[in-house]
Amino acid sequence: MAVAGGATSKREVVQITSYSRRLKENIKSILDNYGEILKAAKVTEGSTSTSEYDATVYHTKTEIEVRASNMVRAAEALSRLVAELKEYLILNDFSTINESITHRAKDLHAAQKQVLNETQKLYESYKQTQLRSLD
């Protein structure tokens, strides 16, 4: 049984490490591509011919589109990662689930006692009214 617990723990460490690595890679991709877009969008002054200017604009436009696409892809990967993390927490956060169940059970137990006390009071009140009606 301890071996299974150790394997689960090791699996969780590997999973969390994978999440961390993917997070860093996607954020780095977004930042790198954003920086390159800013560099490509920088206006340089020079006396170039119209055809050279048109070629440069086309090249820059294409580069910016590709980098923007890379940023969108990384953002979508981050979105999927967030969904996976939520699923992981829902399925593997047993301590919080158990704590919630225990708290709910205590609340319900307290409510049960309150209902029993009120029922007992009503019964006593009923008995007293019955005794008064007999007198």
Side-chain angles (χ1 to χ4, degrees):
M1 194 123 197
V3 174
T8 301
S9 177
K10 185 176 181 179
R11 187 187 68 198
E12 288 175 356
V13 168
V14 169
Q15 186 71 30
I16 291 170
T17 303
S18 171
Y19 289 149
S20 178
R21 179 187 49 78
R22 288 170 49 197
L23 174 69
K24 289 177 184 176
E25 287 174 356
N26 289 321
I27 290 175
K28 183 180 182 315
S29 175
I30 290 172
L31 291 174
D32 289 347
N33 283 297
Y34 184 71
E36 292 300 320
I37 286 173
L38 292 178
K39 285 180 189 175
K42 184 178 179 184
V43 177
T44 57
E45 293 187 30
S47 57
T48 59
S49 67
T50 305
S51 61
E52 287 178 20
Y53 178 75
D54 289 343
T56 303
V57 168
Y58 179 75
H59 174 67
T60 302
K61 176 183 171 255
T62 305
E63 182 181 355
I64 289 173
E65 287 175 352
V66 168
R67 296 213 177 262
S69 175
N70 290 342
M71 288 177 66
V72 169
R73 192 174 306 117
E76 288 173 345
L78 282 174
S79 181
R80 285 190 303 272
L81 179 63
V82 168
E84 287 179 34
L85 284 168
K86 287 178 181 178
E87 181 180 322
Y88 177 82
L89 284 175
I90 289 169
L91 296 176
N92 295 316
D93 195 9
F94 297 118
S95 62
T96 303
I97 293 170
N98 288 338
E99 183 180 316
S100 175
I101 291 170
T102 303
H103 181 68
R104 181 72 175 145
K106 286 179 182 178
D107 289 346
L108 291 174
H109 188 66
Q112 179 185 17
K113 283 184 178 180
Q114 182 181 3
V115 168
L116 287 174
N117 288 337
E118 290 177 15
T119 305
Q120 186 67 28
K121 288 178 186 177
L122 287 173
Y123 178 72
E124 293 298 324
S125 173
Y126 172 75
K127 278 177 46 179
Q128 286 180 1
T129 57
Q130 289 297 322
L131 288 175
R132 285 184 201 153
S133 67
L134 290 176
D135 288 342

